[in-house]
Amino acid sequence: MNNCLWDGLNITKMNTSASLLRLLNIAFLVGLMAGSLTTGISRALIQTPPMTAPSVRPAPPTRDPHTSGYVTALELPDGTNPPANADGNFILGPTHKAEPEASADNGVPQGTVFEFTVDSADSRIYPGIAREANTFGTPDPADPARLMVTTSHPAPYTRHVTVYVPQQYVRGTVAPFIVGADGPDRGLFTTLDNLIAGHRVPVMIAISIGNGGGDAQGSERGLEYDTMSGRYAEFVEKEVLPQVETQYHVKLTKDPDGRATMGGSSGGSCALIMAWYHAELYRRVLTYSGTYVNQQWPYNAKTPHGAWEFHEHLIPNSPTKPLRIWMEVGDRDLLNPNVMRDNMHDWVVANEDMAQVLAAKGYHYQFVFARNAGHVDRAVKQQTLSEALVYLWHGYPSSGK
């Protein structure tokens, strides 16, 4: 889950006897000191920066999908999914039962899952950073929507890359594939086993890439997933896919229509970022609780509001790209009015606004608002992933349609 900043300090309970003695000493000293010194002490205490972790944020409120300003959406019977061939906006009922494709079926061919590691020392694009523990950024006084992080520094990482190769794949042939964030995603592999066996999606490779660590501004994961540029797609293209092909003797298609991205939270916004900045590489995008909010760091004047820019400026003001998008948000998804106070940290509003602008520009998209659902809700994913993948790959030549 994404964690931007949150107001308030965690105040540790003090040992009773030690605290009493300390308070008595302070009272005695204050009584003896001159007023100016007292003022100096007070000012010093006020200016001491908080170094503890943010307090636990309250649970997000439950949002009504029929709220004024939200997209008009079709309310579905409880427990059902939208048609896999229909564009538009849909509302899931509160009961989320896993679809059969979410469970392993020994009666269908099982794909093989491999794994390798990528070290930061071997990456030219991402040599590694980390934010110091229990430290956070502060808003720029001149622009509260801009976060300043001074405690991020170079740091090594090791990431895991998990590769799913379906049993039906014929060695030496060119295959479509899907790249997923925050791997490994075992649920994706199981679902693909079942969908491929049923000829509902093409025989595809799945590449599930672990992030480089941390979260949000100043972290390696935040740098990879929240930065509005083609950098992460270039990292995958140059430093991950060649290893997949070499190590597992597969051939990955160069056709962008046969390449998909997916992810949840910042991994979801990353999936769209990959396709937006490199539509010549990816044309299909699947996101759960996409972080289309103001979480980019470092600051970029071209996209000052981070992924919020997608629905604020980029999509409305750009020619329509050849993308097909499936996305979901929960009624209890994140609402984080952090210290930036920029009104750009509501995940529900961000995804609703995404649906608005995609519709206005004529994109092929399907937006699912899930009742009784939190951030990247596991039950919702088990209910919807199979149909989402079928929607995502609709129209692909080898999908069996």
Side-chain angles (χ1 to χ4, degrees), residues 180-226:
D182 289 320
D185 189 343
R186 305 288 176 179
L188 170 64
F189 307 153
T190 297
T191 302
L192 286 177
D193 276 339
N194 294 313
L195 292 177
I196 291 170
H199 305 287
R200 302 185 66 201
V201 298
V203 176
M204 75 181 79
I205 311 295
I207 303 154
S208 195
I209 306 172
N211 64 71
D215 190 31
Q217 296 95 328
S219 72
E220 180 64 32
R221 181 178 185 268
L223 181 65
E224 294 168 10
Y225 292 177
D226 296 320

Side-chain angles (χ1 to χ4, degrees), residues 64-105:
D64 182 349
H66 300 296
T67 298
S68 176
Y70 288 6
V71 294
T72 300
L74 177 64
E75 190 107 32
L76 299 171
D78 191 22
T80 64
N81 289 316
N85 61 352
D87 291 348
N89 312 308
F90 301 89
I91 302 168
L92 295 189
T95 304
H96 306 298
K97 182 180 178 181
E99 289 289 287
E101 292 84 359
S103 299
D105 182 352

